[in-house]
């Protein structure tokens, strides 16, 4: 019983965080969501792009359930760093839509597996993981990037808050 509670609780937190990140784009112009706001070029839409890519890996590929749409591989050296920014060739609808489709895929993975289901994260020092480990990681990582989105949005127009 505690296993299902833990899985549902973590997934609930992840769902709230996802929505908060996407909410940070609302009401902004195309130029603003793409505006580089850090020295590395990170922009709000890039954060969404990054979260979609990594959630598809962690709650898909890691458990042998790859996301159906083509995305750069984790070991694609040429793609490194490009996922934190979006340019004019990538529409807001395309990136946000992909993120929402990743949510559906990730949620299906979580629903289909036990909280102690085994996965493999080749880039972690201890690559043998359980779904529980990955859910905790995704909540922490999404919360981290939601905080980045808070700061970026505030820089653009002073808006603050967690969303709906």
């Amino acid at each position: 019983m505690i296993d299902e509670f833990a899985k549902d609780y973590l997934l609930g937190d992840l769902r709230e965080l996802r929505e908060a990140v996407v909410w940070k784009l609302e009401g902004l112009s195309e130029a603003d969501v793409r505006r580089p706001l850090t020295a590395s070029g990170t922009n709000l839409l890039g954060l969404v792009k990054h979260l979609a890519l990594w959630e598809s890996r962690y709650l898909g590929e890691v458990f042998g359930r790859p996301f159906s749409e083509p995305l750069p591989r984790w070991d694609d050296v040429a793609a490194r760093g490009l996922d934190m920014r979006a340019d004019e060739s990538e529409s807001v609808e395309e990136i946000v839509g992909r993120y929402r489709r990743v949510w559906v895929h990730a949620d299906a993975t979580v629903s289909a597996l036990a909280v102690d289901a085994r996965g493999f994260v080749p880039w972690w020092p201890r690559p043998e993981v359980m779904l529980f480990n990955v859910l905790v990681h995704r909540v922490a990582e999404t919360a981290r990037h939601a905080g980045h989105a808070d700061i970026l949005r505030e820089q653009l127009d002073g808006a603050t808050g967690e969303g709906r």
Side-chain angles (χ1 to χ4, degrees), residues 81-98:
L82 298 178
D83 60 322
M84 292 297 276
R85 54 187 177 266
D87 61 32
E88 293 78 24
S89 71
E90 304 166 290
S91 74
V92 173
E93 293 78 18
E94 173 188 350
I95 290 174
V96 172
R98 182 182 311 118

Side-chain angles (χ1 to χ4, degrees), residues 42-61:
T42 298
N43 57 39
L44 274 171
L45 190 56
L47 285 175
V48 174
K49 179 180 169 182
H50 172 79
L51 286 166
L53 175 62
W54 285 97
E55 187 165 320
S56 75
R57 289 175 177 155
Y58 278 105
L59 289 172
E61 191 176 326

Side-chain angles (χ1 to χ4, degrees), residues 4 12 37 41 43 59 68 73 82 94 106 117 121 126 148 150:
E4 282 304 308
L37 295 166
N43 57 39
L59 289 172
S68 62
R73 294 275 307 145
L82 298 178
E94 173 188 350
V121 184
R126 292 177 296 172
H148 295 147
D150 288 341

Side-chain angles (χ1 to χ4, degrees), residues 106-131:
D107 288 4
T109 296
V110 173
S111 293
L113 300 175
V115 75
D116 61 350
R118 300 290 176 181
F120 188 77
V121 184
W123 53 92
W124 281 11
R126 292 177 296 172
E128 302 279 335
V129 297
M130 293 185 298
L131 178 60

Side-chain angles (χ1 to χ4, degrees), residues 11 14-15 38 63 74 83 90 93 96 125 128 133 145 161:
L11 185 57
L14 182 58
R15 286 175 175 152
T38 68
F63 294 98
W74 64 269
D83 60 322
E90 304 166 290
E93 293 78 18
V96 172
E128 302 279 335
N133 305 104
H145 290 308

